[in-house]
Amino acid sequence: MFSRSKAGLNPEAQKVVTQLSVMSAGRKMPKMLKLCNEDYIKHKTIMKAWSVKRKQEKEAEERSIKKQYRSIREAFEDLKLASPKLFEKANEHEYGKRFPLEMRIPTEYPPRQIWYYDYVPRKRND
Amino acid sequence: MSFNSRRTFSTTAAAFKVGCAMVKPVHHKVKIRKKFLSPRFPELKIDPSDIRSPKYKPYLTQPDRVKDYYHNTLKSDLLLVGYRHDQVKVEGVKRRQWDMTSPYHLNRPLRKPRGQVVPSPDIQPRDWRNVPQFETITLNCWVKEAKLKPQMAIAGSLQLQQMTGCKTKPIYAKTNVPTWKVRPGMKMGAKVTLAGKYASQFLTTLTEIVLPRIRDFKGISNKAGDRYGNIAFGLQPEHIKFFPEIENNQDSWPQTFGVDITLHTSAQTDADARILLSALGIPFAGTERVPKNLLNDVKESTIDSNVEDVKSVETVKAVKASEPVS
Amino acid sequence: MITGTVAEREFTKAQKYPIPAHRGVWFPKGMPDIKHGRDRRFKQEVNLPKEILEGDAEDLENVGRPISANPRITEADKKNDQTSLERELPRTLYLLLKQNGQWKFPTFQLENDETALNQVAENGLRQLGGDNINTWSVSGTPAAVIKYVNGNILPYGTSVDHEGVSREYLMKSHVVAGQFVPQQGKGVEEYKWLVKEEIQPLVEKPYFDQVRHLLAQI
């Protein structure tokens, strides 16, 4: 039988063997779950219901973004009639626009200071 | 030897065969998977999405805050930022016809596109379906020292696995450069492509822990990008030490290796991809150049301006601007 | 021979490793199935060394203090203080003002057509709510238009050939820092930071129907 013993190797080789064993997935495979029929049906039902729910949420989001798109179009059509000058200004391309770094990805729990109230605008030196 | 089987030049072999196929020709069209025919190994016939299958992998096991933030807030903002009224399709560079000055041009594959080897896709106007979305991250770790010490490639691979929590794939040298002692087939490091929760996790680690701690980091260059919405940048070996997985185990990492990171998005242009990534907390620095054909992508105005000017004086007074602040 | 760091050794000491199978030994819960020092039949239990968990959670100087999450329900939630920005942390809040006895998003008169719409909105907000608010205008693109004839809202998609149509364009901004402090003599009677469901009963129905799809569900 092949021995996994690392004794007798020089430290360099031993290090490589350790590194390879950390990466190899062979012995870290979790054991397969064995479900009884009742548990299996329970699992299937829950997963199905969940996937239906996710599908509904996805469709609702799609409807919402489509509506937003239509209302932007309507606003522009209207602005074009009302004021061509403002239309030109609103319709400029916005490449190079950046979101502010202060807008961060929300976290699960709030930080110690929830909101920064003492904002003072920087004075421009013209 | 029978009379019938004698082969003559006046007939063909086919004449002695049956006139029609014995097998119905479906075997060309329907792929037969032998595992379904055999009664052995019933568990291998179960679909991998079924929990009884040995290939089953649980999915969506935890909330993904990057994804949630995108769908709750960023998507509608990006639609507003990217929308231009009367925007038209910007044609990509396509393969060209031959000019037919030579008879050999007939049936030749089309000419290469002007200035590039492969054609580039058209850029469609912004729409509710093509709002840019963050997709995957690719990490590529090319270990230069691996050409003399092959075990370094393993260390680089392990480092990537430590940083991402995903299984890596080895990368090999492709060229033969005798002066650099590089030969094809040498293992030179590893790469890994992250998607879903692994990509979100890596992105948040990068933007919240690693990038803020790099002293001289101003931002990713605004010139980076492959023109089609994928932004790449590199991290130096000393920056890798800021990853918590490496930092908390410094004894095991006397040497770290630089990594090239590519952020893949579904944006059609790099400029759009940068707007999206800035929303996910990645800073950008330097001057940005947007190709001219992207700047003039709206239809020429069809309004007769003289008539409208008179009309607008009356209506503009009634125009108000209102603002929901969120 | 002692190997590993101090932390590693403390961690190893705190673990309860399973007993491997022996010939002639009866295991009441079945034969152990051990891989990498853990029994694969059961859920893995990781015991953290005791020292890490000791100490006061509030003591910020102590690096080894136990980790405790801040509550998601704040003081403002308990008091139902709708003027606070610290309420309903998981949700998107919108600023609503009561002007001329009517609840609405902040609304500003357009003086000329020299300034872009989003700039007008940004300037107007600072006139109503003071300079100490940091907002980021999302885009110059209007998110929607609401059309009025004689003070009544026209339904979505109505043609605009009517005489005397007045319009409201909705521009989106994010508040990043600072706060909205109503200024004297600007006509702001009240202000509230509200989520989508709270806006519905407050504003008029035709107005809400026009803006419903713009408001975030979460």
Side-chain angles (χ1 to χ4, degrees), chain B residues 1-8 11 16:
Chain B
M1 189 171 278
S2 72
F3 169 76
N4 275 347
S5 68
R6 198 179 61 190
R7 182 144 186 236
T8 59
T11 57
F16 299 110

PDB file of all heavy atoms in Angstrom, chain B residues 1-8 11 16:
ATOM      1  N   MET B   1     -16.434 -20.075 -53.698  1.00  0.00           N
ATOM      2  CA  MET B   1     -16.746 -18.735 -54.221  1.00  0.00           C
ATOM      3  C   MET B   1     -17.948 -18.824 -55.146  1.00  0.00           C
ATOM      4  O   MET B   1     -17.979 -19.624 -56.083  1.00  0.00           O
ATOM      5  CB  MET B   1     -15.530 -18.204 -54.973  1.00  0.00           C
ATOM      6  CG  MET B   1     -15.677 -16.762 -55.348  1.00  0.00           C
ATOM      7  SD  MET B   1     -14.163 -16.096 -55.995  1.00  0.00           S
ATOM      8  CE  MET B   1     -13.278 -15.729 -54.541  1.00  0.00           C
ATOM      9  N   SER B   2     -18.923 -18.051 -54.831  1.00  0.00           N
ATOM     10  CA  SER B   2     -20.163 -18.161 -55.611  1.00  0.00           C
ATOM     11  C   SER B   2     -20.119 -17.245 -56.823  1.00  0.00           C
ATOM     12  O   SER B   2     -19.289 -16.337 -56.905  1.00  0.00           O
ATOM     13  CB  SER B   2     -21.350 -17.803 -54.721  1.00  0.00           C
ATOM     14  OG  SER B   2     -21.337 -16.422 -54.495  1.00  0.00           O
ATOM     15  N   PHE B   3     -21.001 -17.430 -57.714  1.00  0.00           N
ATOM     16  CA  PHE B   3     -21.085 -16.637 -58.934  1.00  0.00           C
ATOM     17  C   PHE B   3     -21.419 -15.186 -58.629  1.00  0.00           C
ATOM     18  O   PHE B   3     -20.876 -14.260 -59.195  1.00  0.00           O
ATOM     19  CB  PHE B   3     -22.138 -17.280 -59.847  1.00  0.00           C
ATOM     20  CG  PHE B   3     -22.512 -16.425 -61.017  1.00  0.00           C
ATOM     21  CD1 PHE B   3     -21.643 -16.318 -62.102  1.00  0.00           C
ATOM     22  CD2 PHE B   3     -23.705 -15.724 -61.037  1.00  0.00           C
ATOM     23  CE1 PHE B   3     -21.990 -15.535 -63.180  1.00  0.00           C
ATOM     24  CE2 PHE B   3     -24.024 -14.931 -62.121  1.00  0.00           C
ATOM     25  CZ  PHE B   3     -23.173 -14.841 -63.197  1.00  0.00           C
ATOM     26  N   ASN B   4     -22.336 -15.010 -57.650  1.00  0.00           N
ATOM     27  CA  ASN B   4     -22.818 -13.659 -57.360  1.00  0.00           C
ATOM     28  C   ASN B   4     -21.757 -12.758 -56.750  1.00  0.00           C
ATOM     29  O   ASN B   4     -21.804 -11.550 -56.918  1.00  0.00           O
ATOM     30  CB  ASN B   4     -23.990 -13.736 -56.375  1.00  0.00           C
ATOM     31  CG  ASN B   4     -25.276 -13.975 -57.123  1.00  0.00           C
ATOM     32  OD1 ASN B   4     -25.300 -13.836 -58.336  1.00  0.00           O
ATOM     33  ND2 ASN B   4     -26.309 -14.377 -56.395  1.00  0.00           N
ATOM     34  N   SER B   5     -20.847 -13.372 -56.042  1.00  0.00           N
ATOM     35  CA  SER B   5     -19.908 -12.522 -55.322  1.00  0.00           C
ATOM     36  C   SER B   5     -18.738 -12.086 -56.200  1.00  0.00           C
ATOM     37  O   SER B   5     -17.889 -11.323 -55.755  1.00  0.00           O
ATOM     38  CB  SER B   5     -19.367 -13.270 -54.105  1.00  0.00           C
ATOM     39  OG  SER B   5     -18.557 -14.319 -54.567  1.00  0.00           O
ATOM     40  N   ARG B   6     -18.706 -12.533 -57.457  1.00  0.00           N
ATOM     41  CA  ARG B   6     -17.575 -12.147 -58.291  1.00  0.00           C
ATOM     42  C   ARG B   6     -17.668 -10.668 -58.642  1.00  0.00           C
ATOM     43  O   ARG B   6     -18.716 -10.184 -59.064  1.00  0.00           O
ATOM     44  CB  ARG B   6     -17.551 -13.005 -59.561  1.00  0.00           C
ATOM     45  CG  ARG B   6     -16.209 -12.985 -60.253  1.00  0.00           C
ATOM     46  CD  ARG B   6     -16.258 -13.856 -61.463  1.00  0.00           C
ATOM     47  NE  ARG B   6     -17.262 -13.357 -62.393  1.00  0.00           N
ATOM     48  CZ  ARG B   6     -17.668 -14.025 -63.470  1.00  0.00           C
ATOM     49  NH1 ARG B   6     -17.198 -15.241 -63.693  1.00  0.00           N
ATOM     50  NH2 ARG B   6     -18.548 -13.522 -64.293  1.00  0.00           N
ATOM     51  N   ARG B   7     -16.608  -9.982 -58.433  1.00  0.00           N
ATOM     52  CA  ARG B   7     -16.637  -8.538 -58.664  1.00  0.00           C
ATOM     53  C   ARG B   7     -16.213  -8.255 -60.089  1.00  0.00           C
ATOM     54  O   ARG B   7     -15.190  -8.767 -60.560  1.00  0.00           O
ATOM     55  CB  ARG B   7     -15.705  -7.851 -57.683  1.00  0.00           C
ATOM     56  CG  ARG B   7     -15.728  -6.378 -57.826  1.00  0.00           C
ATOM     57  CD  ARG B   7     -15.588  -5.718 -56.494  1.00  0.00           C
ATOM     58  NE  ARG B   7     -15.758  -4.288 -56.712  1.00  0.00           N
ATOM     59  CZ  ARG B   7     -14.855  -3.393 -56.350  1.00  0.00           C
ATOM     60  NH1 ARG B   7     -13.768  -3.771 -55.716  1.00  0.00           N
ATOM     61  NH2 ARG B   7     -15.066  -2.121 -56.604  1.00  0.00           N
ATOM     62  N   THR B   8     -16.985  -7.456 -60.781  1.00  0.00           N
ATOM     63  CA  THR B   8     -16.615  -7.078 -62.151  1.00  0.00           C
ATOM     64  C   THR B   8     -16.508  -5.575 -62.222  1.00  0.00           C
ATOM     65  O   THR B   8     -17.014  -4.847 -61.371  1.00  0.00           O
ATOM     66  CB  THR B   8     -17.683  -7.542 -63.152  1.00  0.00           C
ATOM     67  OG1 THR B   8     -18.916  -6.929 -62.769  1.00  0.00           O
ATOM     68  CG2 THR B   8     -17.801  -9.048 -63.146  1.00  0.00           C
ATOM     69  N   THR B  11     -19.950  -3.500 -62.738  1.00  0.00           N
ATOM     70  CA  THR B  11     -20.899  -3.240 -61.646  1.00  0.00           C
ATOM     71  C   THR B  11     -20.147  -2.663 -60.448  1.00  0.00           C
ATOM     72  O   THR B  11     -18.921  -2.661 -60.411  1.00  0.00           O
ATOM     73  CB  THR B  11     -21.587  -4.540 -61.187  1.00  0.00           C
ATOM     74  OG1 THR B  11     -20.554  -5.456 -60.808  1.00  0.00           O
ATOM     75  CG2 THR B  11     -22.465  -5.115 -62.246  1.00  0.00           C
ATOM     76  N   PHE B  16     -24.670  -5.263 -54.852  1.00  0.00           N
ATOM     77  CA  PHE B  16     -24.911  -6.527 -54.160  1.00  0.00           C
ATOM     78  C   PHE B  16     -25.411  -6.330 -52.737  1.00  0.00           C
ATOM     79  O   PHE B  16     -25.709  -7.271 -52.044  1.00  0.00           O
ATOM     80  CB  PHE B  16     -23.628  -7.368 -54.143  1.00  0.00           C
ATOM     81  CG  PHE B  16     -23.162  -7.698 -55.523  1.00  0.00           C
ATOM     82  CD1 PHE B  16     -22.022  -7.142 -56.040  1.00  0.00           C
ATOM     83  CD2 PHE B  16     -23.925  -8.549 -56.317  1.00  0.00           C
ATOM     84  CE1 PHE B  16     -21.609  -7.445 -57.321  1.00  0.00           C
ATOM     85  CE2 PHE B  16     -23.507  -8.859 -57.602  1.00  0.00           C
ATOM     86  CZ  PHE B  16     -22.360  -8.300 -58.115  1.00  0.00           C
TER      87      PHE B  16
END
